[in-house]
Amino acid sequence: MTNVKISLSSLDDIKEFNKLTCGFEANADLSEGNYKVDAKSLIGLFTLDMNQALDLSIHSDNCRDYLKSISKFLVN
């Protein structure tokens, strides 16, 4: 499992992140505090508070290409 923080600041960011994540084989979850949603669920993404960094849990250790594709959303 790989965990990173991401930031989605607009509706376009949410749609782009969702499209990239749906194209990735492994499952991924986004969480905000105790609230967790499937990162491939567009409706789930819209329920999160986008004013803060979100925790992305990727259920794979082989996600280098995926991380590269979402690099603009990664928070250092």
Side-chain angles (χ1 to χ4, degrees):
M1 183 179 291
T2 303
N3 295 301
V4 295
K5 288 208 178 274
I6 67 164
S7 177
L8 302 171
S9 57
S10 70
L11 292 176
D12 288 334
D13 284 353
I14 293 170
K15 290 189 286 185
E16 182 180 354
F17 173 80
N18 179 257
K19 183 177 179 179
L20 293 168
T21 303
C22 285
F24 181 59
E25 282 185 27
N27 291 326
D29 298 310
L30 270 176
S31 58
E32 168 198 355
N34 292 329
Y35 189 68
K36 184 189 294 189
V37 298
D38 183 345
K40 293 183 179 183
S41 168
L42 187 57
I43 293 172
L45 294 177
F46 284 121
T47 66
L48 296 171
D49 179 7
M50 298 301 157
N51 294 321
Q52 60 185 356
L54 303 167
D55 296 311
L56 174 64
S57 299
I58 306 162
H59 301 274
S60 173
D61 291 324
N62 186 15
C63 57
R64 185 181 203 168
D65 291 338
Y66 172 65
L67 288 173
K68 191 179 292 186
S69 73
I70 64 164
S71 63
K72 76 182 241 179
F73 305 115
L74 296 176
V75 175
N76 295 341

